[in-house]
């Protein structure tokens, strides 16, 4: 019996017609394909992309070198050295993130008591040399400067 | 007698408090003000526990046990009481754990994790307290203080100097130093460990690491002969801090500042990082093979015309190999007593000088006579035992020294005498000594290291030994370096092999001289010619004249730069492994804490490689075994040194000079610990007899051995002892100071 049904189905191209029905339905609708890189999909305000170190509006770096992000990082991607700066505050002398190790889990962002380390919406980046994958403090602060506006916008959207 | 804690039965003795029983049985009770070695004040109320039958929760630290008492540390009543206490403590405590160095090992943090709410019910303004500048070693963050008063009690009860005190009442309570002074006690660093929160911090460690990153390794202190047990905390191959390791036989829970902060010097710019060889006027980099060959050749070439001087801070392994290397090459002149000039005593000296009784037995003594050492400065840990003895047994302590100083324990009587008077006052054959003590009691005489630098050391030693023996007292000898006892036992003396085996030679001990004109080769191991010799003029002169100078050193100095032919870069104690014999004859091993800087190497490794070139049977394990065997064989009953037919070297009519170098910089590493020197190395002065005058108030010009010496020292005093010019200077005083003890003209 099964054999006969199978034979009839293949004789009248039933499977193909079924597929063509969906194609036909979609033909009349707006396509969802995006012309990347000219076009981009919208991102969540909580997207976890490239890292950045933020500053206060007066230009002072936020990071206080508490090393909580280093401690919480499951991939051991962050490494920090600290010292007492001349104004007697605790500051980092080294803040490095190895992007090859990072798994973009966002724990660092959550651990930070001063909202210094954040994960921005940047997801398009590449390295030309092996060592470039390790972001140092200057790089991170630069990205923080560039994306501060977007970051504030994201924070606004995240508010309940 | 027994009590129940959390329904489990525990045996107790009568005077126990609940917290002591709990600690013994590893039941955790939170506490801030209680510390097992300090008095009980029960002021923090953190240790409240529920006691059956009591109306309110009781403080575990001050509640004595009763038979059959039922204690509960975790039920609602107890934990609610603890929660409330903690909430009140947190009212004024800042929430700056992310930058606080105590975070991770903070008792307040632990308790608030256990009982705390994530939201504060307190919306009013928190109290802030201005930080105090109390010196280079301890930094403050006084807003964090919770007024447990541990630091205050430590100063009063243990250190003996009331440096920190509590002022004000209620919300105005503050921990302060009196009239803005810094901490000056040699035990001041202990308040860092005692502080249960982050109010008192280690300045050198401040903000440089987090507690959870640190790796802990145990080691032995290299700065005094007590051999305190310590833990080094390292992070990324760098020493971050040093804390005491509990040891009931030696340092209890405490540590002297030298030990705690004495690692700062190892990163000094002076470190020698490569093997060096002289080419023309300069020392140039080379490799170990070249200088090892040079060393072996010179040893063969100059053979009997050589002299090997080694620091008593070296490990037993280094000492054993050093004397092996030199004696295999027929060099018998090996010594560690670079600061001494009178060696007539050496034949009669004990095989291993020691502190004759266990430190824990000090508290049972009736009388202690301390000769020539400022205990609270040179051996701070020992001073704790003396304070305990006074408290426990009302011990009378007498001090005899060549200069005036303060001790952190009360002295029954203190005498300031010159070297001749010191020898005379214990001379039993002439007069009765100035010490009026009950001679039937349990008495001890302690002889400090500074006495051995005097030119009539043998006379003093002889007289004191006779006095002690005739009065049935014990005699203890304290060494000036971490391994002085080891140096004697390992044969770093010209007249004895390891284990104190005397070398049969024609008796020349009467006129043995450390640096004689016949020496053509000098091998100087871990000593700085500028600071570590009894006469800096003489050693520099000698270095200029001798044909080859071989240095083993961790640090570069002017004289090494000028006179060394080859230099072996030594790693410091924390960068090498080895063992020390402490003043109680206890052999203590220590391991490598961090990797050596540059190409510098463990001295034992360097020496073993050289020794292996002619004796391949030696191994590290073999050396260790020999050391243990040597120590096991040594049997010394007492430290008495009695010498027959001893001449009196001093003529009391002459003016003599006595130099006292600050004990806080007794070894090359300590001399480079800047924070430590800033705090403890700043009371230079010279004193002249009452009837003498000098033209300048901060300059002194001396004539000695046909040399004219000019010393610039800030303070002048007219003081005892008579006929003596006393020069007390910092350990890193740059000018030449001449002989430690000699005749001079003003």
């Amino acid at each position: 019996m099964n054999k006969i049904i199978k034979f009839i189905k293949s004789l009248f191209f039933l499977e193909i017609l079924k597929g063509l029905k969906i194609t036909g339905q979609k033909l009349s609708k707006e396509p969802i394909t995006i012309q990347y890189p000219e076009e981009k999909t919208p991102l969540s305000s909580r997207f976890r992309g490239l890292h950045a170190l933020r500053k206060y509006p007066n230009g002072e770096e936020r990071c206080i070198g508490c090393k909580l992000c280093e401690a919480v990082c499951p991939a051991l991607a962050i490494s920090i050295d600290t010292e007492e700066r001349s104004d007697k505050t605790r500051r980092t002398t080294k803040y490095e993130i190895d992007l090859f190790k990072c798994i973009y889990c966002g724990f660092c962002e959550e651990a930070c008591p001063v909202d210094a380390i954040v994960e921005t919406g940047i997801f398009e980046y590449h390295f030309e040399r092996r060592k470039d994958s390790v972001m140092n403090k200057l790089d991170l602060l630069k990205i923080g400067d560039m994306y501060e506006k977007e970051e504030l916008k994201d924070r606004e959207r995240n508010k309940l | 007698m027994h009590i129940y804690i959390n329904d489990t039965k525990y045996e107790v003795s009568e005077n126990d408090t609940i917290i002591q029983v709990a600690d013994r049985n590893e039941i955790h009770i939170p506490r801030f003000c209680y510390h097992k070695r300090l008095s009980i004040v029960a002021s923090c109320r953190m240790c409240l526990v529920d006691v059956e039958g009591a109306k309110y929760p009781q403080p575990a630290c001050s509640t004595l046990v009763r038979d059959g008492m039922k204690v509960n540390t975790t039920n609602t009543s107890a934990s609610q009481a603890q929660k409330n206490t903690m909430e009140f403590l947190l009212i004024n405590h800042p929430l700056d754990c992310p930058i606080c160095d105590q975070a991770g090992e903070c008792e307040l943090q632990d308790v608030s994790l256990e009982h705390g709410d994530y939201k504060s019910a307190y919306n009013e303004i928190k109290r802030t307290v201005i930080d105090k500048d109390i010196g280079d070693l301890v930094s403050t963050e006084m807003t964090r203080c919770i007024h447990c008063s541990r630091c205050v009690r430590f100063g009063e009860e243990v250190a003996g100097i009331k440096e920190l005190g509590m002022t004000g009442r209620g919300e105005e309570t503050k921990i302060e130093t009196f009239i803005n002074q810094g901490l000056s006690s040699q035990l001041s660093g202990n308040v860092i460990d005692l502080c249960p929160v982050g109010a008192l911090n280690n300045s050198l460690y401040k903000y440089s690491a987090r507690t959870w990153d640190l790796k802990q390794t145990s080691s032995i202190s290299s700065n005094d002969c007590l051999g305190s047990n310590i833990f080094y905390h390292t992070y990324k191959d760098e020493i971050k801090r040093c804390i005491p390791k509990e040891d009931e036989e030696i340092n209890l829970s405490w540590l002297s500042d030298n030990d705690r902060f004495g690692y700062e010097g190892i990163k000094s710019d002076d470190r020698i990082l490569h093997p060096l060889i002289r080419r023309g006027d300069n020392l140039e980099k080379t490799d170990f093979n070249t200088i090892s060959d040079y060393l072996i050749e010179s040893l063969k070439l100059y053979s009997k015309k050589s002299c090997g001087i080694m620091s008593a801070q070296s490990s037993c392994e280094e000492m054993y190999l050093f004397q092996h290397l030199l004696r295999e090459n027929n060099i018998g002149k090996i010594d560690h007593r670079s600061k001494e000039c009178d060696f007539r005593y050496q034949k009669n000296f004990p095989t291993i000088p020691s502190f004759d009784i266990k430190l824990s037995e000090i508290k049972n003594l009736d009388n202690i006579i301390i000769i020539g050492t400022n205990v609270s400065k040179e051996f701070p840990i020992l001073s704790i035992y003396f304070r305990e003895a006074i408290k426990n047994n009302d011990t009378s302590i007498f001090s005899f020294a060549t200069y005036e100083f303060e001790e952190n324990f009360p002295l029954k009587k203190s005498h300031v005498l010159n070297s001749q008077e010191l020898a005379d006052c214990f001379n039993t054959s002439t007069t009765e000594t100035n010490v009026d003590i009950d001679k039937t009691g349990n008495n001890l005489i302690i002889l400090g290291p500074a006495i051995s630098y005097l030119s009539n050391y043998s006379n003093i030693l002889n007289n004191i030994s006779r006095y002690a023996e005739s009065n049935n007292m014990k005699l203890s000898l304290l060494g000036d370096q971490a391994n002085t006892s080891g140096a004697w036992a390992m044969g770093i003396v010209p007249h004895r092999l390891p284990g104190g085996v005397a070398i049969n030679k024609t008796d020349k001990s009467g006129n043995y001289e450390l640096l004689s004109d016949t020496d053509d080769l000098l091998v100087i191991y871990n000593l700085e010619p500028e600071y570590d010799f009894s006469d800096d003029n003489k050693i520099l002169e000698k270095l200029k004249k001798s044909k080859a100078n071989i240095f083993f050193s961790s640090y570069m100095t002017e004289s090494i730069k000028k006179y060394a032919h080859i230099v072996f870069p030594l790693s410091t104690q924390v960068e090498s492994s080895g063992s020390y014999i402490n003043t109680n004859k206890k052999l203590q091993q220590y391991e490598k804490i961090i990797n050596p800087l540059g190409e510098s190497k463990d001295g034992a490794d360097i020496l073993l490689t050289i020794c292996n070139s002619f004796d391949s049977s030696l191994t590290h394990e073999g050396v260790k075994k020999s050391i243990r065997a040597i120590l096991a064989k040594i049997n010394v009953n007492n430290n008495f040194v009695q010498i027959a037919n001893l001449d009196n070297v001093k003529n009391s009519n002459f003016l003599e000079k006595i130099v006292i170098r600050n004990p806080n910089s007794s070894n090359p590493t300590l001399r480079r610990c800047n924070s430590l020197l800033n705090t403890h190395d700043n009371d230079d002065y010279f004193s002249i007899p009452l009837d003498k005058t000098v033209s300048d108030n901060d300059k002194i010009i001396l004539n000695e051995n046909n040399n004219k010496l000019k010393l610039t020292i800030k303070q002048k005093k007219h003081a005892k002892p008579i006929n003596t010019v006393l020069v007390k200077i910092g350990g890193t005083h740059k000018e030449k100071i001449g002989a430690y003890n000699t005749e001079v003209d003003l």
Side-chain angles (χ1 to χ4, degrees):
Chain A
M1 191 65 189
N2 273 345
K3 266 187 183 175
I4 300 164
I5 293 170
K6 207 179 172 186
F7 176 75
I8 296 168
K9 270 187 179 173
S10 60
L11 187 69
F12 296 100
F13 301 111
L14 279 182
E15 300 280 330
I16 287 172
L17 289 174
K18 231 185 209 171
L20 277 174
K21 188 182 152 201
I22 291 174
T23 315
Q25 280 171 357
K26 295 284 173 189
L27 257 177
S28 58
K29 281 182 185 166
E30 191 89 1
I32 58 162
T33 316
I34 291 283
Q35 290 300 315
Y36 184 83
E38 286 82 19
E39 291 176 300
K40 280 171 190 171
T41 52
L43 286 181
S44 155
S45 61
R46 294 178 185 185
F47 184 83
R48 301 191 298 265
L50 189 64
H51 310 71
L53 277 173
R54 293 176 64 213
K55 288 179 180 168
Y56 286 109
N58 67 359
E60 172 66 285
E61 55 176 308
R62 278 172 178 261
C63 179
I64 49 168
C66 71
K67 290 192 165 214
L68 289 179
C69 50
E70 187 192 62
V72 79
C73 182
L76 308 180
I78 305 178
S79 103
I80 297 171
D81 282 343
T82 54
E83 64 164 25
E84 186 178 6
R85 203 170 62 179
S86 53
D87 61 355
K88 301 206 161 172
T89 56
R90 184 186 193 116
R91 297 291 161 184
T92 56
T93 51
K94 184 182 108 177
Y95 193 113
E96 286 181 354
I97 300 181
D98 188 341
L99 293 177
F100 283 173
K101 285 185 187 165
C102 179
I103 56 165
Y104 303 93
C105 63
F107 281 6
C108 49
E109 206 174 346
E110 279 185 47
C112 187
V114 287
D115 291 337
I117 184 82
V118 288
E119 294 202 79
T120 61
I122 311 171
F123 58 90
E124 307 152 298
Y125 47 88
H126 71 288
F127 315 113
E128 284 167 11
R129 278 163 305 190
R130 176 83 197 187
K131 65 175 180 189
D132 286 355
S133 69
V134 179
M135 304 270 285
N136 63 28
K137 193 178 163 185
L138 280 179
D139 297 340
L140 290 163
L141 282 169
K142 220 188 278 171
I143 299 168
D145 283 344
M146 282 157 60
Y147 279 79
E148 182 64 19
K149 264 186 204 160
E150 282 84 341
E151 189 58 40
L152 289 174
K153 235 182 271 166
D154 284 349
R155 275 167 193 274
E156 203 53 43
R157 277 167 62 195
N158 280 347
K159 278 186 183 165
L160 290 173
Chain B
M1 212 168 141
H2 61 267
I3 63 166
Y4 297 88
I5 301 180
N6 300 342
D7 299 330
T8 318
K9 194 173 171 182
Y10 296 104
E11 282 303 315
V12 295
S13 49
E14 196 147 338
N15 287 324
D16 279 342
T17 56
I18 298 171
I19 209 164
Q20 282 171 337
V21 182
D23 281 355
R24 262 207 308 276
N25 297 296
E26 294 179 353
I27 300 161
H28 179 67
I29 297 174
R31 83 288 304 267
F32 294 117
C33 69
Y34 172 78
H35 189 275
K36 64 176 174 180
R37 293 192 206 278
L38 297 177
S39 64
I40 293 163
V41 289
S43 68
C44 73
R45 315 310 281 184
M46 194 65 236
C47 61
L48 291 176
V49 291
D50 189 38
V51 178
E52 205 178 272
K55 204 171 174 188
Y56 305 109
Q58 301 290 310
C61 65
S62 64
T63 310
L64 288 171
V65 293
R66 290 187 311 271
D67 198 16
M69 187 188 235
K70 282 185 179 140
V71 180
N72 201 315
T73 64
T74 48
N75 67 6
T76 355
S77 159
S79 72
Q80 189 59 40
Q82 288 169 12
K83 189 181 170 176
N84 293 345
T85 307
M86 191 221 49
E87 205 171 346
F88 274 111
L89 285 173
L90 280 183
I91 280 184
N92 280 320
H93 191 82
L95 299 176
D96 61 351
C97 301
I99 57 158
C100 177
D101 273 334
Q102 192 81 11
E105 56 182 12
C106 176
E107 291 172 57
L108 190 59
Q109 206 182 20
D110 291 347
V111 182
S112 82
L113 188 73
E114 208 174 317
H115 299 295
D117 216 339
Y118 76 101
K119 234 177 171 181
S120 173
Y122 183 78
N123 297 318
E124 284 72 29
I125 295 168
K126 288 194 174 205
R127 181 186 61 124
T128 48
V129 185
I130 295 165
D131 292 343
K132 318 221 158 33
D133 181 9
I134 56 169
D136 279 6
L137 300 176
V138 183
S139 67
T140 59
E141 192 69 54
M142 282 326 220
T143 309
R144 294 184 193 141
C145 177
I146 56 163
H147 306 137
C148 70
S149 82
R150 274 191 198 175
C151 52
V152 178
R153 278 175 287 147
F154 172 78
E156 282 169 10
E157 293 160 20
V158 180
I161 306 177
K162 295 175 192 169
E163 290 179 308
L164 291 164
M166 223 185 240
T167 60
R169 317 177 75 180
E171 183 143 308
E172 298 295 312
T173 312
K174 281 172 195 165
I175 298 288
E176 278 181 308
T177 51
F178 297 117
I179 330 168
N180 295 328
Q181 279 176 333
L183 297 180
S184 62
S185 157
Q186 296 285 332
L187 292 158
S188 65
N190 289 303
V191 296
I192 300 164
D193 295 335
L194 285 174
C195 188
V197 291
L200 299 168
N201 297 305
N202 186 333
S203 279
L204 302 188
Y205 168 67
K206 198 176 179 194
Y207 296 165
S208 66
R210 302 314 305 259
T211 47
W212 54 82
D213 285 331
L214 299 172
K215 188 182 139 203
Q216 174 167 287
T217 326
S218 67
S219 185
I220 303 298
S221 127
S222 64
N223 299 317
D224 64 35
C225 64
L226 302 176
S228 297
N229 282 246
I230 50 182
F231 280 126
Y232 279 113
H233 286 177
T234 54
Y235 174 57
K236 292 187 179 168
D237 205 30
E238 231 178 79
I239 294 181
K240 289 296 178 191
R241 61 176 179 182
C242 174
I243 60 163
K245 179 181 173 185
E246 291 236 337
D247 189 310
E248 293 298 325
E249 279 180 19
I250 304 166
N251 55 318
L252 309 172
S253 311
W254 315 120
L255 209 52
S256 67
D257 282 1
N258 279 5
D259 295 342
R260 186 183 299 269
F261 303 105
Y263 61 87
E264 194 191 359
I266 57 168
K267 281 195 291 185
S268 152
D269 295 335
D270 293 346
R271 278 296 294 274
I272 300 171
L273 302 176
H274 309 278
L276 300 171
I277 191 160
R278 179 159 300 281
R279 299 234 160 79
D281 283 347
N282 296 323
L283 285 170
E284 284 175 17
K285 279 184 208 170
T286 180
D287 56 276
F288 274 101
N289 287 339
T290 320
I291 53 171
S292 300
D293 291 345
Y294 188 109
L295 171 64
I296 294 166
E297 269 168 42
S298 337
L299 289 178
K300 290 210 168 93
L301 184 65
Y302 299 109
S303 189
K304 284 195 172 154
K305 285 183 169 178
S306 313
C307 173
I309 309 170
M310 185 176 212
S311 161
Q313 202 203 1
S314 317
S315 68
C316 291
E317 284 79 2
E318 283 169 297
M319 287 172 169
Y320 184 87
L321 287 163
F322 186 76
Q323 63 88 26
H324 184 80
L325 173 68
L326 264 59
R327 289 203 163 108
E328 284 291 302
N329 286 293
N330 297 320
I331 300 165
K333 202 169 173 187
I334 302 168
D335 219 321
H336 70 274
R337 300 163 294 175
S338 57
K339 282 183 183 164
E340 297 182 22
C341 55
D342 178 13
F343 302 102
R344 293 168 297 158
Y345 67 91
Q346 65 184 16
K347 275 205 136 182
N348 306 32
F349 205 69
T351 313
I352 179 163
S354 64
F355 203 86
D356 217 20
I357 57 170
K358 277 192 177 159
L359 298 185
S360 53
E361 289 166 18
I362 291 177
K363 62 173 183 276
N364 303 325
L365 292 169
D366 295 320
N367 296 291
I368 303 171
I369 301 173
I370 304 167
I371 301 164
T373 170
N374 182 356
V375 177
S376 47
K377 210 157 167 53
E378 290 177 63
F379 304 99
I381 297 293
L382 210 52
S383 73
I384 294 174
Y385 283 96
F386 291 165
R387 287 185 61 78
E388 202 190 339
I390 293 170
K391 204 169 135 195
N392 183 49
N393 202 20
D394 202 15
T395 308
S396 309
I397 303 184
F398 302 85
S399 163
F400 291 77
T402 54
Y403 65 110
E404 281 176 330
F405 49 72
E406 283 178 4
E407 293 282 21
N408 61 3
F409 46 85
L411 291 170
K412 187 102 184 268
K413 213 161 191 192
S414 73
H415 304 268
V416 179
L417 307 170
N418 67 22
S419 62
Q420 184 56 43
E421 288 173 317
L422 262 178
D424 285 343
C425 85
F426 287 98
N427 194 344
T428 42
S429 63
T430 54
T431 48
E432 189 57 23
T433 128
N434 327 0
V435 197
D436 45 344
I437 61 169
D438 174 20
K439 279 153 190 151
T440 52
N442 193 358
N443 303 335
L444 177 75
I445 300 185
I446 296 166
L447 203 55
I451 294 297
S452 64
Y453 311 153
L454 298 176
S455 57
N456 62 341
Y457 177 44
S458 304
N459 300 76
I460 297 175
L461 204 52
N462 181 31
N463 290 347
I464 289 173
S465 301
R466 283 171 201 273
Y467 173 80
E469 195 169 22
S470 63
N471 290 312
N472 231 341
M473 293 179 180
K474 281 188 168 141
L475 178 63
S476 289
L477 303 169
L478 285 167
D480 61 348
Q481 293 286 347
N483 205 13
T484 307
S485 300
W488 280 94
M490 291 303 134
I492 307 295
V493 277
H495 60 295
R496 282 178 194 163
L497 294 176
V501 184
I503 297 169
N504 285 325
K505 260 193 190 171
T506 45
D507 182 22
K508 276 195 280 178
S509 65
N511 43 21
Y512 166 76
E513 204 183 356
L514 189 59
L515 300 161
S516 61
D517 289 335
T518 50
D519 298 331
D520 285 332
L521 169 68
L522 287 183
V523 185
I524 296 181
Y525 195 100
N526 205 8
L527 290 166
E528 294 185 294
E530 286 92 339
Y531 303 118
D532 283 327
F533 284 81
S534 78
D535 188 339
D536 49 8
N537 275 322
K538 199 172 159 192
I539 176 73
L540 294 177
E541 229 14 67
K542 183 75 215 133
L543 283 169
K544 209 188 270 178
K545 272 189 215 153
S546 75
K547 288 176 184 147
N549 300 317
I550 293 169
F551 279 90
F552 288 75
S553 178
S554 306
Y555 305 95
M556 187 54 94
T557 69
E558 283 300 311
S559 58
I560 295 181
K561 214 177 264 173
K562 222 163 160 185
Y563 301 120
H565 289 91
I566 54 169
V567 184
F568 287 89
L570 274 190
S571 57
T572 54
Q573 189 243 357
V574 287
E575 295 160 340
S576 36
S577 60
S579 57
Y580 284 153
I581 299 174
N582 85 345
T583 190
N584 271 341
K585 295 182 264 188
K586 187 176 172 195
L587 185 73
Q588 302 191 102
Q589 300 280 344
Y590 59 85
E591 292 303 318
K592 190 169 91 172
I593 308 294
I594 49 171
N595 286 317
L597 231 62
E599 277 183 74
S600 63
K601 255 190 192 176
D602 187 349
D605 288 341
I606 300 177
L607 290 168
L608 187 74
T609 322
I610 300 170
C611 285
N612 278 344
S613 66
F614 55 82
D615 177 2
S616 56
S617 65
L618 273 179
T619 57
H620 277 310
E621 287 71 38
V623 171
K624 280 200 167 80
K625 220 182 254 173
S626 318
I627 291 168
R628 271 195 295 272
I630 290 164
L631 196 62
K633 254 188 248 166
I634 294 175
N635 186 14
V636 181
N637 293 325
N638 57 53
N639 287 314
F640 299 142
V641 186
Q642 301 195 352
I643 313 146
N645 307 324
L646 198 63
D647 297 332
N648 209 341
V649 282
K650 291 267 164 105
N651 185 335
S652 51
N653 297 328
F654 279 102
L655 197 61
E656 70 166 334
K657 176 182 87 168
I658 299 176
V659 174
I660 295 123
R661 273 202 187 272
N662 192 325
N664 270 98
S665 36
S666 57
N667 64 53
T669 307
L670 281 184
R671 281 180 209 121
R672 288 169 176 79
C673 298
N674 295 327
S675 318
L676 204 60
L677 294 179
N678 287 345
T679 315
H680 292 317
D681 197 23
N682 44 21
D683 55 340
D684 297 8
Y685 64 83
F686 66 87
S687 83
I688 52 170
L690 298 164
D691 53 337
K692 303 271 179 200
T693 47
V694 284
S695 54
D696 214 334
N697 257 347
D698 54 359
K699 213 171 269 173
I700 181 168
I701 299 167
L702 299 164
N703 283 317
E704 60 173 75
N705 312 328
N706 306 325
N707 283 326
K708 204 165 200 172
L709 267 175
K710 210 192 248 177
L711 289 168
T712 327
I713 298 167
K714 279 180 203 130
Q715 252 190 76
K716 188 185 81 172
K717 281 185 188 174
H718 280 289
K720 282 206 259 181
I722 54 161
N723 280 345
T724 305
V725 176
L726 201 71
V727 183
K728 184 166 184 303
I729 50 164
T732 52
H733 191 82
K734 286 280 183 306
E735 290 170 319
K736 274 190 190 173
I737 53 162
Y740 272 61
N741 183 208
T742 185
E743 283 170 11
V744 286
D745 272 335
L746 263 176

